[in-house]
Amino acid sequence: KDQAQATFDDTKKLFEDELVTENKFNSDKLALQVAEYSLAIAEANLMATEAKALQFKYLVLSEGNPKKDYRKEMAQALKKQYENKTVVLGSIRDTLKSTKDFWAGQVKQAEILFEKQLFTRTGLQARRLQLRTTENQLRTLEFQMAATQEAIKGLDKTLSLL
């Protein structure tokens, strides 16, 4: 991500000085967004692994000390993991929204050029496909965010009963 950020920062300066094309600027901007998306996915996967490790930790502790009830600590830890996941998913959502806007602009530009016979049908279809893919990723992510929020609500209810 750091490399993509540095490349984008350099390209942005060059674009502002009109030394590189808008396509180069948009390409490097998209590369940065993809790097941010990949980083957020890796962070989410790490959090999921940490949550599983925590579950096993409390399972082992409860086996070793059956008199102590670890359910509350486990629920609190899981809730914290889900809250962290919400933050990461929000970051991914923001990146996907920017990516969606980028591809919507690319489709619009390609449609105009296609009507003037300056752009190929295949190129236009490729951009439309990229836009639809990004829209589908965004919808999937929004479902994940809703499910995570429901899990947090469930854990809140569980914690109020423990």
Side-chain angles (χ1 to χ4, degrees):
K1 184 216 174 244
D2 293 339
Q3 181 61 42
Q5 182 69 57
T7 300
F8 173 72
D9 290 343
D10 291 343
T11 301
K12 183 178 180 185
K13 289 175 192 167
L14 293 171
F15 179 70
E16 289 168 353
D17 293 338
E18 298 180 5
L19 297 172
V20 296
T21 65
E22 184 177 357
N23 281 346
K24 172 66 174 154
F25 173 77
N26 288 334
S27 176
D28 287 353
K29 181 178 178 183
L30 183 60
L32 174 60
Q33 291 169 340
V34 168
E36 289 171 343
Y37 175 80
S38 297
L39 177 61
I41 291 291
E43 288 173 346
N45 288 336
L46 177 62
M47 280 190 251
T49 302
E50 289 172 344
K52 287 185 189 239
L54 199 55
Q55 288 175 321
F56 286 120
K57 172 186 171 184
Y58 286 121
L59 181 64
V60 169
L61 288 174
S62 63
E63 289 291 324
N65 186 2
K67 293 181 183 175
K68 179 151 171 72
D69 186 358
Y70 289 97
R71 291 178 298 170
K72 185 172 185 174
E73 287 94 342
M74 185 184 292
Q76 288 170 331
L78 286 173
K79 180 181 176 194
K80 184 172 173 44
Q81 292 293 329
Y82 281 123
E83 289 169 341
N84 289 340
K85 183 178 181 179
T86 300
V87 171
V88 171
L89 291 176
S91 173
I92 295 170
R93 181 194 58 218
D94 294 345
T95 299
L96 284 174
K97 283 182 177 181
S98 294
T99 304
K100 178 185 159 199
D101 292 345
F102 168 79
W103 284 114
Q106 291 293 307
V107 167
K108 188 174 184 177
Q109 180 184 27
E111 288 171 342
I112 291 167
L113 293 173
F114 180 73
E115 285 181 21
K116 295 178 180 180
Q117 298 181 344
L118 298 172
F119 203 79
T120 66
R121 179 179 303 278
T122 304
L124 175 59
Q125 290 171 338
R127 289 180 182 196
R128 285 178 175 159
L129 176 62
Q130 198 63 47
L131 177 59
R132 282 193 305 273
T133 300
T134 303
E135 289 169 340
N136 288 336
Q137 289 173 333
L138 188 56
R139 275 192 293 280
T140 300
L141 184 76
E142 287 170 349
F143 285 127
Q144 287 178 323
M145 291 181 76
T148 302
Q149 288 299 324
E150 286 301 313
I152 291 170
K153 287 179 189 175
L155 287 167
D156 281 337
K157 185 176 180 181
T158 298
L159 283 167
S160 70
L161 299 173
L162 293 175

